Amino acid sequence: MRSRSIARTATRVALGLALLAVPATAVATTAASVDRTPAQATPYAPHAPHAAHAPRAATGLDDPAKKEIAMQLVSSAENSSLDWKAQYKYIEDIGDGRGYTGGIIGFTSGTHDMLELVELYTKRKPDNVLATYLPALRKVDGSDSHEGLDPDYPKDWRKAAADPDFQKAQNDERDRVYFNPAVKQGKADGIGVLGQFAYYDALVMHGDGSEPTSFSGIRKRALAKAKPPAQGGDEKTYLGAFLDARVWAMKQEEAHSDTSRVDTEQRVFLKDGNLDLHTPLDWKVYGDGYHIG
């Protein structure tokens, strides 16, 4: 079950105005869509340290194979599944004060990005089944209200999710708001695939903005402790500082008190020296074990 940072609301409004279920068995290729069901995790069995990683290459998280890994890693935390493409149709109110949560990145009706998504979909396909909900989405933006959305919005969301145009809109908004900014900043800081993923995961959970718990606030806190490679610093040291700052930010909100997506996922890869997310990968999130190999 995913959780949300309150900081995302103001951030997404500003962004809007200014402009990834079978743990421990999946492989690093896209699985067929399945119904969203609780993960059936197998015992976590970390692989041996990657003592013979391939030499560092100029590969970023935007490399298609690495991006697929990123989608699966995030989906393990957001949806308890590596099958991120099964999440286009996902929608529910998880009781976190953000209204409806839906789709591959957990767009929410209370934090502006669901509104932006449906606006984009409607711009590209005006007669889509969600277009009539735009006035209600604008009204509930910034709140947990379902006014004007119930009872049919979840049903119509799932119907829209079968449309390749809506799937593409979800992909495009994910990339525009979260993935591309994370990769861009990571490359500017001189960090590799793991670091860029750490940035992406932080943006997904916290959004960006001026708040100390936003992505920029987390990065600023890390920079006060260590320099990134682009400034002459050691990559592992800097990433350790960033993850420390991320854990601090997560603990500022009760919904994020379980920091396992950092502690038993990203720190595992960092400790292993796997700065480019070479497979096989073994990790845990919220107690469930996962494997990509």
Side-chain angles (χ1 to χ4, degrees):
M1 187 67 68
R2 66 170 291 110
S3 55
R4 285 299 183 114
S5 167
I6 293 173
R8 297 183 77 173
T9 302
T11 298
R12 288 169 165 175
V13 171
L15 282 170
L17 294 176
L19 295 164
L20 223 176
V22 186
T25 59
V27 296
T29 57
T30 303
S33 294
V34 296
D35 291 337
R36 176 180 168 78
T37 55
Q40 301 297 320
T42 60
Y44 176 54
H47 56 77
H50 287 250
H53 285 317
R56 296 299 300 280
T59 300
L61 196 64
D62 50 352
D63 172 84
K66 300 299 184 181
K67 186 173 183 179
E68 175 65 22
I69 289 172
M71 298 305 106
Q72 294 185 49
L73 290 171
V74 168
S75 188
S76 72
E78 299 292 308
N79 302 103
S80 300
S81 169
L82 299 187
D83 187 4
W84 65 272
K85 289 188 177 182
Q87 313 312 322
Y88 289 116
K89 65 180 181 292
Y90 164 64
I91 186 165
E92 67 176 319
D93 188 329
I94 63 175
D96 63 352
R98 280 83 169 173
Y100 279 117
T101 295
I104 58 171
I105 208 65
F107 304 96
T108 67
S109 59
T111 60
H112 199 63
D113 64 350
M114 184 176 282
L115 170 59
E116 289 188 312
L117 168 61
V118 177
E119 286 178 333
L120 176 65
Y121 182 35
T122 303
K123 180 179 180 180
R124 295 175 175 178
K125 193 170 188 175
D127 61 347
N128 76 80
V129 70
L130 298 180
T132 58
Y133 293 99
L134 279 172
L137 285 169
R138 294 185 181 110
K139 187 173 183 179
V140 304
D141 192 23
S143 78
D144 63 355
S145 174
H146 293 184
E147 185 178 354
L149 298 176
D150 287 341
D152 293 329
Y153 184 67
K155 177 190 69 176
D156 287 337
W157 176 282
R158 289 187 287 268
K159 182 178 179 180
D163 181 1
D165 290 330
F166 188 47
Q167 296 174 12
K168 186 176 189 303
Q170 289 195 37
N171 293 343
D172 291 346
E173 280 298 281
R174 172 202 64 203
D175 290 352
R176 180 182 71 85
V177 181
Y178 306 111
F179 188 79
N180 293 343
V183 173
K184 181 178 180 180
Q185 185 62 66
K187 289 183 176 181
D189 286 341
I191 55 179
V193 175
L194 174 59
Q196 292 167 35
F197 172 74
Y199 280 12
Y200 173 54
D201 193 61
L203 273 165
V204 167
M205 176 175 279
H206 303 278
D208 203 2
S210 59
E211 303 89 349
T213 55
S214 71
F215 167 73
S216 289
I218 294 169
R219 180 174 173 272
K220 182 178 180 180
R221 191 177 184 91
L223 288 170
K225 299 293 184 179
K227 293 181 179 181
Q231 297 178 23
D234 176 76
E235 185 170 5
K236 290 187 68 174
T237 300
Y238 172 71
L239 291 181
F242 183 84
L243 296 182
D244 289 345
R246 169 81 187 282
V247 167
W248 173 86
M250 293 172 73
K251 289 183 175 180
Q252 303 312 300
E253 186 179 359
E254 179 61 30
H256 296 159
S257 59
D258 186 325
T259 60
S260 62
R261 67 196 288 162
V262 173
D263 299 332
T264 56
E265 182 187 297
Q266 295 172 46
R267 287 197 196 276
V268 170
F269 306 148
L270 181 61
K271 182 178 181 180
D272 192 28
N274 193 359
L275 300 178
D276 287 314
L277 291 180
H278 295 297
T279 56
L281 297 170
D282 294 277
W283 73 99
K284 294 174 70 175
V285 181
Y286 308 138
D288 294 337
Y290 300 88
H291 171 80
I292 297 174

